[in-house]
Amino acid sequence: MRPAVILVGADKGGVGKTTIARALLDYLAANNVLTRAFDTETPRGTLRRFHPDLTTIVDLTSTSDQMRIIDTLGTAEVKVSVIDIRAGGLEPALLALQDTGFLDAVREGEVTFILFHVLGSSIASLDEIAEIAPYVEDADYFLVKNHVNDTTFFEWDPVTHRRYFDKVQTAGEITIPKLNELSYEQVELAGTPFSTFVSNRTAEGDPADHSFVLRGYVRTWQNKIAEEFDRIRLLELISGKDGR
């Protein structure tokens, strides 16, 4: 299996990138895919708060941290790397990957590169698509509509759609459904992965006393996300069994 890198990012803040990265890590764990994660929100590291055992905080524009990630892709026992890109950092991160030769390695088939581009609800997100198009020609590039915060997305008229989407080849779209607000808040307070909350465990692995109802909402939400990841055949993309 060749190494796989999954970037979760956007240049706009507040679109739920880290929530999607957390859901992705839970999905991969549920499917027995060994994964390491990198959190570029320095120094706080929101992803690391929920997945401390998997996550390292890095600065993707730092040469030493680029080496920590890219130089170990072929030698690390764990072959799948999830990188949660901080708000405003997507285009700089892609530029860094281009300058280091990573995108050349993707083009040559040495690495699988998957990009989840999390969209906001405004026209600014369409501008982002045009800006990063030159970097994703050889990536499995997915547009993600995240409704977890009750975001309402405008409908793109055909002219606007062609103006932006003719510039980039996407592998498809992913829809993240809305999660019950109280359930989301309780997971945040618990400071655990979604799957740990559903299992009624604390971050330390001890029995918890989470609401049965709220755990049910989170479980249903996770199942819907898993259906989306299954629909795009994410596991096949990661394993290289997608026929390429």
Side-chain angles (χ1 to χ4, degrees):
M1 173 181 169
R2 64 188 176 191
V5 174
I6 306 174
L7 237 64
V8 182
D11 275 332
K12 184 181 184 300
V15 294
K17 297 177 297 298
T18 300
T19 298
I20 293 169
R22 290 161 56 194
L24 174 61
L25 289 176
D26 277 344
Y27 172 81
L28 295 174
N31 285 278
N32 301 311
V33 178
L34 294 178
T35 308
R36 61 181 187 169
F38 297 95
D39 187 341
T40 67
E41 187 182 347
T42 57
R44 186 162 59 99
T46 303
L47 182 62
R48 191 174 189 279
R49 174 180 170 234
F50 294 97
H51 293 270
D53 295 338
L54 300 177
T55 308
T56 302
I57 297 176
V58 296
D59 178 358
L60 204 52
T61 63
S62 161
T63 301
S64 60
D65 282 345
Q66 292 166 359
M67 293 168 63
R68 179 183 297 184
I69 300 170
I70 298 173
D71 284 0
T72 58
L73 288 176
T75 58
E77 182 178 345
V78 178
K79 296 300 182 184
V80 180
S81 301
V82 172
I83 306 177
D84 182 20
I85 303 297
R86 64 176 176 79
L90 180 56
E91 189 175 6
L94 291 170
L95 178 59
L97 293 177
Q98 175 179 266
D99 289 346
T100 61
F102 172 83
L103 296 184
D104 292 332
V106 173
R107 185 174 303 110
E108 293 166 6
E110 298 174 14
V111 183
T112 296
F113 181 36
I114 301 169
L115 173 58
F116 289 161
H117 184 180
V118 187
L119 300 175
S121 58
S122 70
I123 197 72
S125 283
L126 293 182
D127 290 328
E128 286 183 27
I129 294 171
E131 290 165 0
I132 70 171
Y135 303 103
V136 297
E137 293 178 357
D138 300 290
D140 292 298
Y141 174 45
F142 293 93
L143 301 175
V144 182
K145 293 182 178 180
N146 182 18
H147 294 271
V148 72
N149 295 324
D150 209 18
T151 300
T152 300
F153 290 88
F154 58 86
E155 292 297 326
W156 299 318
D157 64 85
V159 174
T160 301
H161 190 282
R162 285 195 302 271
R163 176 185 169 193
Y164 289 92
F165 287 82
D166 284 353
K167 299 177 182 178
V168 60
Q169 179 66 44
T170 67
E173 294 184 8
I174 299 171
T175 299
I176 303 297
K178 177 177 170 54
L179 175 59
N180 173 273
E181 292 179 5
L182 186 54
S183 298
Y184 188 86
E185 290 174 2
Q186 289 302 305
V187 177
E188 294 290 304
L189 289 173
T192 67
F194 294 110
S195 56
T196 302
F197 182 85
V198 169
S199 299
N200 206 22
R201 294 284 174 177
T202 67
E204 293 74 29
D206 298 322
D209 189 25
H210 302 313
S211 161
F212 179 91
V213 170
L214 299 185
R215 288 190 290 121
Y217 276 122
V218 176
R219 183 186 297 109
T220 300
W221 178 76
Q222 282 191 301
N223 289 340
K224 290 179 179 178
I225 293 175
E227 290 174 1
E228 284 290 278
F229 288 151
D230 288 343
R231 179 180 59 80
I232 65 170
R233 299 181 177 179
L234 180 58
L235 297 178
E236 292 183 21
L237 291 175
I238 290 172
S239 66
K241 295 179 180 178
D242 58 329
R244 292 182 307 165

